[in-house]
Amino acid sequence: MGHMTGFVIWAAFGLMIAGFGVAAYVSKKPAGFWANVKAPQQNEITDVKEYNHAVAKLFFAYGFVFILLGLPLLNEQNTPWILISVLGVMAETIVTMVCYTLVIERKWRRRN
């Protein structure tokens, strides 16, 4: 039973991240991506709707993969498979940051 509880909590965080995607998708203002950093201003983004949809897709993908990476929590306690979750989330986070910076920002942020 405890295994399921851990996975349910993990999945709840994944759904919360996907919820950020829903908020970004419906937002009229440019969605923020970085924690503790002000979101881009309206005049800094070329197409706010497309930018927000791209950020939303990134959050959806992150949340979905995050939930999948929690599947080892359903195994017995002290399983070495939990390393997949830990290392996977680290790698997923780095890939997500790179995708935002190199793809989304480059495509929709105005050049000076």
Side-chain angles (χ1 to χ4, degrees), residues 3-100:
H3 307 197
M4 184 62 80
T5 305
F7 178 73
V8 167
I9 293 169
W10 182 281
F13 278 100
L15 291 173
M16 183 179 71
I17 293 166
F20 294 150
V22 171
Y25 194 86
V26 299
S27 179
K28 302 293 183 207
K29 298 178 183 176
F33 177 77
W34 301 107
N36 299 322
V37 174
K38 203 169 158 185
Q41 298 300 312
Q42 194 93 15
N43 60 349
E44 295 175 349
I45 302 296
T46 56
D47 185 346
V48 174
K49 183 177 180 181
E50 289 299 316
Y51 166 81
N52 283 349
H53 288 185
V55 171
K57 289 176 191 173
L58 192 61
F59 277 125
F60 292 147
Y62 187 94
F64 178 72
V65 172
F66 187 87
I67 292 169
L68 289 180
L69 287 170
L71 290 176
L73 291 170
L74 294 173
N75 285 335
E76 70 273 359
Q77 190 172 358
N78 298 329
T79 178
W81 293 107
I82 196 66
L83 286 175
I84 292 173
S85 299
V86 173
L87 298 175
V89 168
M90 287 176 20
E92 175 191 22
T93 302
I94 292 168
V95 168
T96 302
M97 291 186 302
V98 168
C99 287
Y100 176 78

